[in-house]
Amino acid sequence: MPPKDSLPGTILVATVLCVVCSLAVSAAAVALRPLQAANQKLDQQKNILDAAGIPINEFGKPASQLSRKEIDDLYTWVSEKMVDLDTGDYNTEVDPEKYDLAEFAVNPDTSIEIVNPTIDPGEDRRPKTMKVYFVRRPGSDQLRQVVLPIYGKGLWGTLYGYLALKSDLKTIQGITFYQHQETPGLGGEVDNPAWKAQWEGLQLYNEKGEPSAMVAKGPAPDTDPYAVDGLSGATITSRGVTNLVQYWASDEAYGPFLDKLAEEIKNGSTESSAAKADVKESAINTTANAGDATHG
């Protein structure tokens, strides 16, 4: 072994130290991965609940101020379903528990290229399927809100969030952004509770059925049913939020699904009742099969 104060000795010590530190960091990363995943899931649940306005209505405070048990209890109001964006139909081939929006959006097998969109969200691709969220009070079949994941380019990167619609599917309940790279105090004001509160009650579509909810340039007129105040000093972020909201509300994204959901609500056949019908039919088939086996 070379002397400690020699060049080879110094290199050896440095190498051993680097290897030990690398192993320690790797071990910590592996050990903490489940906790990180759980925290990420919890954060998304909080954003979904906040977009739907449930924590404020039930506890008078945002989800960030609630306990884990309170979040778990409130999230029993939420059911998840995969939706094919092109057809608007429910998709049963993709497991909601294994769905990752960021991965599905870039994988050529699970996404499509956004080409010459009517409203440009600033993204190159979008998933073929999206996970949407239905909000109902436990024990009730009545749909209160539907929460739609949304994303699009801001100034420095992609903003990821949720847009909640009331049961008429035209009125906005709320909006949240759970991940973005916008400048604090400027574009980062998309996280400002006062600014987000302005979205509640806005109309998503105009009288022609065109996506019209937007971020204004400067203060929004009190009589404007489609606009919230612009973000001061953040013109590009404001434009990005407008574009991403309108894009996801268009026929190139959630439009077909919202049309079919509106028809389901009109006919009294929502995702919840349809699921119950499937369960009932399965039970009938199981009973019938058992009877056949008995008689056989």
Side-chain angles (χ1 to χ4, degrees), residues 258-296:
L258 293 175
D259 288 342
K260 290 193 174 183
L261 181 59
E263 194 65 25
E264 290 179 11
I265 294 173
K266 179 181 177 181
N267 295 331
S269 174
T270 62
E271 175 265 346
S272 178
S273 57
K276 287 185 176 180
D278 290 342
V279 172
K280 183 177 180 181
E281 182 179 356
S282 176
I284 292 174
N285 291 337
T286 300
T287 302
N289 291 337
D292 291 342
T294 300
H295 290 296

Side-chain angles (χ1 to χ4, degrees), residues 43-204:
D43 182 62
Q44 291 190 348
Q45 289 177 341
K46 289 179 179 179
N47 276 274
I48 291 167
L49 292 172
D50 276 337
I54 302 175
I56 291 293
N57 290 337
E58 296 298 307
F59 293 99
K61 51 188 177 182
S64 60
Q65 298 179 19
L66 301 181
S67 68
R68 179 59 184 266
K69 182 181 184 307
E70 289 170 330
I71 295 296
D72 289 341
D73 289 343
L74 288 183
Y75 205 75
T76 62
W77 295 39
V78 181
S79 61
E80 305 170 349
K81 199 82 169 178
M82 300 304 303
V83 170
D84 185 305
L85 294 184
D86 288 334
T87 64
D89 296 328
Y90 298 120
N91 182 301
T92 58
E93 297 179 358
V94 179
D95 184 353
E97 292 298 320
K98 297 180 180 179
Y99 181 81
D100 185 286
L101 172 57
E103 291 182 5
F104 270 60
V106 298
N107 187 334
D109 294 331
T110 58
S111 66
I112 64 170
E113 188 176 359
I114 298 175
V115 181
N116 298 323
T118 304
I119 304 165
D120 189 1
E123 300 290 336
D124 296 328
R125 308 187 69 86
R126 70 149 173 82
K128 296 176 182 177
T129 57
M130 291 286 277
K131 179 162 58 174
V132 300
Y133 305 84
F134 301 87
V135 180
R136 299 178 179 84
R137 187 178 291 275
S140 172
D141 287 339
Q142 183 177 1
L143 182 68
R144 293 170 60 95
Q145 293 100 17
V146 60
V147 183
L148 311 172
I150 55 176
Y151 70 93
K153 280 292 191 295
L155 174 59
W156 300 114
T158 300
L159 298 96
Y160 293 90
Y162 296 101
L163 179 70
L165 304 181
K166 296 185 179 182
S167 58
D168 65 359
L169 306 182
K170 299 176 182 178
T171 306
I172 295 176
Q173 172 68 54
I175 193 170
T176 59
F177 290 99
Y178 62 89
Q179 181 180 325
H180 65 81
Q181 303 173 37
E182 302 308 286
T183 307
L186 297 174
E189 288 297 288
V190 294
D191 285 332
N192 189 320
W195 183 78
K196 290 187 291 187
Q198 295 181 42
W199 287 85
E200 183 176 358
L202 285 191
Q203 294 302 299
L204 183 59

Side-chain angles (χ1 to χ4, degrees), residues 209-232:
E210 302 165 334
S212 299
M214 63 176 293
V215 181
K217 295 180 179 178
D222 293 337
T223 56
D224 192 332
Y226 309 111
V228 298
D229 292 345
L231 298 168
S232 180

